[in-house]
Amino acid sequence: MALELVDSHCHLTWNSFDPDRPEVIAAAVAAGVARLVTIGTDLESSRQCVTLAHAYPGVYAAAGVHPNDLGEQKPGFLEELAELAADPRVVAIGEIGLDYYWERVPHPIQQAAFEAQLALAARLGKPVIIHDREAHADVMSTLRAWIHADATRQSPLAARRFWGVLHSFSGDLAQAQEALTWPFLLSFAGPVTFKNARALHALVTQLPLDRLLFETDAPFLTPHPWRGQRNEPARVTLVAEAVARLLGRPLADVAAQTTATAREFFAWSSP
């Protein structure tokens, strides 16, 4: 039986795909990537993601404003985002969160937008895709408050098993363990294939397979042995292979479980 995988996080609207986007999507399908979720980082890219999702049967969209792009959004962007995110091809709100690495947007502005988009996700009943770069403590604190808030627990999202995913997880075991006490998943990308990523390898072996997703973050985070080149959704297979080796599990089992988890997370019908 052929493998079926999901690329739970890629950026197909990025301009590096302009010359060959249809071919990239076709290559992913040929590699067994049955579904791809293309992620918005601002209103314009979110609109483009929705357009792609309507154009290709296996492509779905997430709509959101990335913390580094908040400075480019007009006041009142949340209302436009809400209208866009209501589209049935939008399966999540994201990517949203905090980024303290680039320092492009003041932390209070990031925080306010993060909380507002979390509230929107709860109201719409759609899970969240979380960006966390060098902001672990504040991301976890914000998510902790949101998860336990009455408004969230009484929202349509509360009916779902999973409410969010920490994308391209880069935290430690303590952060992972807390996230797994919540209705959250952890997603892994190209770095898990790097030979020198020993801490990440050790972490993966301590996590339950049924709480993991795979992603490429294409065109970024290209896995070994293609580092330095543009990443593509087809290469999510390399992430799956790396995790299967680390867990000592058959690749077919790892693919089947993570694909089933992705179906549940994004509320896709089976198969």
Side-chain angles (χ1 to χ4, degrees):
M1 181 183 297
L3 291 178
E4 180 182 332
L5 288 163
V6 170
D7 184 355
S8 66
H9 190 121
C10 59
H11 298 278
L12 292 174
T13 62
W14 208 258
N15 57 14
S16 61
F17 291 123
D18 287 350
D20 60 349
R21 191 170 287 108
E23 291 79 9
V24 166
I25 295 171
V29 173
V33 185
R35 290 182 171 95
L36 305 84
V37 183
T38 183
I39 312 293
T41 57
D42 57 18
L43 286 177
E44 180 56 31
S45 63
S46 293
R47 289 189 196 96
Q48 293 170 356
C49 287
V50 174
T51 298
L52 276 177
H54 281 280
Y56 295 91
V59 175
Y60 294 80
V65 179
H66 189 289
N68 289 335
D69 292 299
L70 289 165
E72 301 171 10
Q73 303 307 298
K74 298 177 182 178
F77 76 88
L78 199 68
E79 289 76 11
E80 293 184 53
L81 180 62
E83 183 177 347
L84 188 63
D87 189 290
R89 298 294 290 182
V90 174
V91 293
I93 303 299
E95 63 187 281
I96 64 175
L98 302 173
D99 191 312
Y100 294 172
Y101 177 78
W102 292 108
E103 297 289 1
R104 290 175 181 167
V105 176
H107 295 186
I109 294 176
Q110 292 191 41
Q111 183 68 37
F114 187 20
E115 293 174 3
Q117 292 181 94
L118 287 171
L120 173 63
R123 177 161 62 84
L124 294 178
K126 296 190 177 184
V128 291
I129 297 172
I130 303 301
H131 174 94
D132 171 9
R133 190 165 188 189
E134 298 192 6
H136 298 328
D138 286 352
V139 165
M140 296 299 282
S141 175
T142 303
L143 290 175
R144 195 180 300 122
W146 175 68
I147 286 165
H148 294 295
D150 287 343
T152 309
R153 292 187 171 273
Q154 295 169 9
S155 74
L157 189 60
R160 298 176 67 142
R161 181 183 176 195
F162 298 124
W163 299 2
V165 59
L166 297 178
H167 130 74
S168 189
F169 186 72
S170 60
D172 59 16
L173 180 60
Q175 184 184 0
Q177 288 174 331
E178 180 175 12
L180 294 178
T181 68
W182 304 338
F184 261 67
L185 302 172
L186 306 176
S187 181
F188 292 91
V192 78
T193 70
F194 300 167
K195 294 180 179 179
N196 62 350
R198 296 180 183 86
L200 183 57
H201 297 165
L203 172 67
V204 167
T205 65
Q206 299 178 76
L207 302 175
L209 177 60
D210 65 353
R211 301 293 293 276
L212 305 185
L213 294 180
F214 297 149
E215 63 172 278
T216 59
D217 201 25
F220 313 107
L221 299 182
T222 307
H224 176 81
W226 304 103
R227 291 178 75 177
Q229 299 185 27
R230 182 191 71 175
N231 200 6
E232 299 183 8
R235 291 179 182 153
V236 76
T237 57
L238 297 173
V239 177
E241 289 168 359
V243 171
R245 285 194 299 270
L246 289 168
L247 297 181
R249 300 279 297 273
L251 176 59
D253 292 353
V254 170
Q257 178 60 71
T258 55
T259 296
T261 301
R263 285 199 192 105
E264 186 170 11
F265 180 72
F266 293 116
W268 289 325
S269 59
S270 181

